[in-house]
């Protein structure tokens, strides 16, 4: 147990350069949230729903994170800062990182559809602050969800999603190969999807302008026939 705790604390230190020691990490609300959730989840599986909810509410009061006791969470899960909401049927893999104000939400319970309502996050996923991942969708391994993005459709492995609704964006290979990307967002506007569309439109406009200029120049150039007389005599047969 001690070795697994040390491994967990070291995994957090590799993702957050702020703490100076493992003991400091033990004060993090995200660490306490996960510890309380482990207890609540065991009570939930034992069908002690009231006790599970009681532990959940006590944890929310202390840490600001609301993790439903029914959520399934893998190893080395880390909530940086807090105020995160995780729904009942959410499933989280290993080495997943969530920043503050993230919601793993479900579909509308009024539609009468029971069962899986919340997203599944596979291993190594990073979700930036304020992002909303909604519905029974899959977020592939090593995917990144940028800050304030709203994800309502499946995300491919390794994709980086930004915007409302979230769209996949191109990422420089040096950034993609990094083991960890803070907040799941490359700090550059060179790969913004909207900027890429504007640049493509600008290239098309420039090409059309060049073609139009060439056509106008061609129409304005007089065509001379070497065989035709320069002057026509009028009134002669």
């Amino acid at each position: 147990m001690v070795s697994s705790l040390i491994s967990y604390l070291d995994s957090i230190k590799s993702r957050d350069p702020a703490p100076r020691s493992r003991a400091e990490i033990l004060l993090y609300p995200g660490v306490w949230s996960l510890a309380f959730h482990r207890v609540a989840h065991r009570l939930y599986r034992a069908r002690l729903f009231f006790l599970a909810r009681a532990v959940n509410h006590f944890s929310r009061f202390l840490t600001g994170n609301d993790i439903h006791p029914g959520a399934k969470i893998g190893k080395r899960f880390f909530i940086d800062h807090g105020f995160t909401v995780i729904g009942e049927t959410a499933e989280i893999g290993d080495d997943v990182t969530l920043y503050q104000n993230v919601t793993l939400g479900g579909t509308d319970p009024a539609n009468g559809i029971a069962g899986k309502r919340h997203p599944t996050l596979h291993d190594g996923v990073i979700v930036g602050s304020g992002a909303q991942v909604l519905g029974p969708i899959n977020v592939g391994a090593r995917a990144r969800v940028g800050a304030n993005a709203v994800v309502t459709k499946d995300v491919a492995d390794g994709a980086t999603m930004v915007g409302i609704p979230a769209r996949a964006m191109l990422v420089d290979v040096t950034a993609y190969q990094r083991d960890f990307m803070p907040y799941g967002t490359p700090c550059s506007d060179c790969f913004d999807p909207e900027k890429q569309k504007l640049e493509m439109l600008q290239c098309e406009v420039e090409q059309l302008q060049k073609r139009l200029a060439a056509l106008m120049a061609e129409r304005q150039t007089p065509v001379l026939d070497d065989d035709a007389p320069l002057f026509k005599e009028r009134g002669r047969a």
Side-chain angles (χ1 to χ4, degrees):
M1 179 178 287
V2 175
S3 61
S4 62
L5 176 60
I6 292 175
S7 175
Y8 174 60
L9 297 178
D10 288 341
S11 73
I12 293 177
K13 200 171 189 305
S14 67
R15 288 175 275 182
D16 183 8
R20 300 295 186 268
S21 65
R22 294 170 180 154
E24 188 177 343
I25 299 174
L26 288 173
L27 299 176
Y28 278 23
V31 174
W32 283 97
S33 296
L34 182 61
F36 281 119
H37 174 72
R38 298 298 190 199
V39 176
H41 187 63
R42 290 197 176 189
L43 294 171
Y44 183 87
R45 294 185 61 183
R47 303 188 66 80
L48 300 173
F49 300 123
F50 178 82
L51 291 178
R53 275 290 192 178
V55 174
N56 163 241
H57 282 274
F58 181 69
S59 173
R60 184 173 63 178
F61 173 76
L62 289 180
T63 67
N65 297 309
D66 186 3
I67 307 176
H68 193 282
K72 298 178 181 178
I73 299 178
K75 301 176 182 177
R76 297 177 295 278
F77 173 64
F78 177 40
I79 299 176
D80 199 348
H81 305 297
F83 305 103
T84 289
V85 177
I86 300 176
E88 178 184 11
T89 59
E91 298 179 46
I92 299 175
D94 299 337
D95 301 298
V96 172
T97 304
L98 305 184
Y99 285 88
Q100 63 270 21
N101 299 315
V102 168
T103 300
L104 305 184
T107 53
D108 184 5
N111 59 14
I113 301 175
K116 178 73 170 170
R117 308 187 312 278
H118 300 86
T120 297
L121 276 57
H122 294 273
D123 298 346
V125 170
I126 302 172
V127 183
S129 58
Q132 313 292 304
V133 186
L134 308 176
I137 61 175
N138 283 283
V139 180
R142 287 183 52 80
R144 282 86 168 95
V145 178
N148 295 318
V150 178
V151 184
T152 57
K153 296 181 181 179
D154 289 348
V155 177
D157 294 354
T160 298
M161 310 295 291
V162 297
I164 303 173
R167 300 172 300 277
M169 64 183 292
L170 296 176
V171 180
D172 182 60
V173 66
T174 56
Y176 177 76
Q177 290 179 344
R178 291 169 56 188
D179 292 333
F180 185 75
M181 184 185 299
Y183 291 91
T185 309
C187 295
S188 172
D189 61 351
C190 296
F191 306 101
D192 181 69
E194 297 301 326
K195 185 174 181 180
Q196 290 172 357
K197 290 179 182 179
L198 290 175
E199 290 177 349
M200 291 173 63
L201 288 174
Q202 184 177 359
C203 291
E204 291 181 4
V205 170
E206 290 176 356
Q207 291 178 359
L208 290 173
Q209 287 177 341
K210 290 179 180 179
R211 291 182 61 186
L212 180 60
L215 289 173
M216 294 292 293
E218 183 178 346
R219 291 191 61 181
Q220 292 175 0
T221 303
V223 179
L224 297 178
D225 189 354
D226 295 338
D227 298 331
L230 293 177
F231 300 98
K232 290 184 179 180
E233 297 184 8
R234 296 182 180 180
R236 293 189 178 183

